[in-house]
Amino acid sequence: MTATTTAPVAATPVRAEKPPSGGRLRAWATRAPLLPALIFMIAVTQLPFVATLVISFFDWNSLYPDAREFTGFGNYSEVLTDADLRKSVWTTILLTVAVVLASLILGLVLALLLDRKFRGRGLVRTLLIAPFLVVPVAAALLWKHVLYNPEYGLFNGLLHYVGGPQPDWISNTPLLAVEASLVWQWTPFMMLILLAGLQSRDHQQIEAARVDGASDWQVFRYLTLPHLRRYLELGALLGSIYIVQNFDAVFTITSGGLGTANLPYTVYQSFYQAHENGLASAAGVLVVIGSIIIATFALRVVSSLFREEVSRA
């Protein structure tokens, strides 16, 4: 009996096939309609920011265009050390924190009320959303003339009806007057975010807690509030991005006076009144950097919310 030997077969290397050129053409064909929008976005947003960044490194007064010179980070140092600019930074922080916290609390209360079923809920929800749809300048003018005016404003009219004092709201409480108008406008935004969070709760878990004897406060504290944590963070971050950059209310109600000048108004004042292009550009770049930092955290919160929704599905 003879043994047969089998010769080993040499393994032929498998070459990775290149994707057909037709697939690449189809991919570019699907992306081509987006190119005009991408080019427009770069031209409108990125190129002006690059120009602002370049100008921020120059000592450049538009009244003396030939006297400009490169100063490096001198404008940034002046922004961070100047007393008036530091005060505007502190005013911006105080304004943002107060408006965001008040809007979140009021938005949470309204969201909890709208989460209940009652007749006319759709109409009430539409009316509560309306302040957020008003143009910011129009909203500020509404508060300045219709509500705050000491002679014919609604607030003093109501106080006169009950025999109360007739204060000048803007002169007596200028920062609070700006904050109240912004809270009125941003509370609907917070309400919508928190209402969406309330409607995504696990109702079976809530019913089980009620069967076990949990009160309304216990359900809110141990189930609803932890569930809304991400939505509260998202509302706070998105609100901060917009309030930090707010210019309309400060400019319209107080014109930056009486200690209400925030950083965006100071940028406007440095550019259009003092004609300090380099200094205004440096302050604007700092506002953009702060907004980008806040937006980064907001994107992380949005991503975590999407992951939670996908895991539940």
Side-chain angles (χ1 to χ4, degrees):
M1 186 174 181
T2 58
T4 58
T5 58
T6 305
V9 180
T12 57
V14 179
R15 295 182 180 179
E17 295 183 358
K18 296 182 179 180
S21 58
R24 294 181 180 179
L25 291 176
R26 283 194 299 270
W28 279 108
T30 56
R31 296 169 185 167
L34 300 177
L35 289 179
L38 180 61
I39 295 172
F40 177 79
M41 185 186 69
I42 293 175
V44 172
T45 62
Q46 302 307 310
L47 293 182
F49 177 73
V50 172
T52 303
L53 186 63
V54 172
I55 295 173
S56 68
F57 293 110
F58 286 85
D59 182 7
W60 187 350
N61 191 304
S62 60
L63 297 178
Y64 309 97
D66 297 331
R68 63 179 181 270
E69 59 178 322
F70 181 78
T71 58
F73 291 96
N75 289 323
Y76 293 93
S77 176
E78 186 174 351
V79 169
L80 297 175
T81 56
D82 184 79
D84 293 334
L85 289 173
R86 284 205 311 268
K87 184 179 180 181
S88 68
V89 171
W90 170 248
T91 302
T92 303
I93 295 173
L94 186 63
L95 183 68
T96 303
V97 172
V99 172
V100 169
L101 285 179
S103 300
L104 276 176
I105 294 173
L106 292 176
L108 178 59
V109 172
L110 293 176
L112 290 172
L113 293 176
L114 289 178
D115 191 51
R116 301 173 179 269
K117 293 183 178 180
F118 58 89
R119 182 176 297 178
R121 184 174 63 169
L123 177 61
V124 173
R125 185 181 302 177
T126 303
L127 293 176
L128 290 176
I129 295 173
F132 184 66
L133 305 178
V134 178
V135 178
V137 174
L141 288 172
L142 174 70
W143 278 79
K144 181 178 181 178
H145 295 291
V146 178
L147 300 178
Y148 287 146
N149 192 283
E151 297 181 359
Y152 54 81
L154 179 61
F155 289 159
N156 281 0
L158 294 174
L159 289 175
H160 176 73
Y161 182 75
V162 297
Q166 304 290 303
D168 188 343
W169 299 90
I170 297 177
S171 299
N172 296 343
T173 56
L175 190 60
L176 184 61
V178 175
E179 290 171 352
S181 67
L182 290 175
V183 168
W184 175 79
Q185 192 169 17
W186 283 96
T187 295
F189 176 76
M190 303 298 183
M191 179 195 72
L192 287 176
I193 292 178
L194 297 177
L195 185 60
L198 288 173
Q199 293 179 351
S200 66
R201 290 178 300 174
D202 187 355
H203 294 283
Q204 293 181 352
Q205 189 179 18
I206 295 175
E207 292 297 329
R210 294 188 185 280
V211 170
D212 291 337
S215 62
D216 291 338
W217 169 249
Q218 290 174 328
V219 170
F220 173 76
R221 180 180 178 182
Y222 296 107
L223 294 179
T224 302
L225 200 57
H227 174 76
L228 290 177
R229 183 176 67 87
R230 294 287 187 186
Y231 296 89
L232 289 168
E233 292 175 357
L234 179 61
L237 291 171
L238 293 178
S240 299
I241 292 173
Y242 288 102
I243 302 302
V244 162
Q245 304 176 29
N246 182 268
F247 172 80
D248 308 84
V250 175
F251 177 79
T252 305
I253 295 177
T254 63
S255 298
L258 304 174
T260 61
N262 58 351
L263 196 52
Y265 185 85
T266 304
V267 173
Y268 157 80
Q269 201 171 27
S270 300
F271 189 83
Y272 286 101
Q273 296 181 5
H275 304 282
E276 291 288 349
N277 296 351
L279 191 64
S281 299
V285 170
L286 291 179
V287 173
V288 172
I289 292 174
S291 301
I292 290 174
I293 293 173
I294 299 174
T296 301
F297 288 102
L299 289 174
R300 290 183 179 180
V301 173
V302 172
S303 299
S304 64
L305 284 173
F306 281 143
R307 286 195 297 269
E308 290 178 4
E309 293 297 330
V310 170
S311 62
R312 288 175 185 172

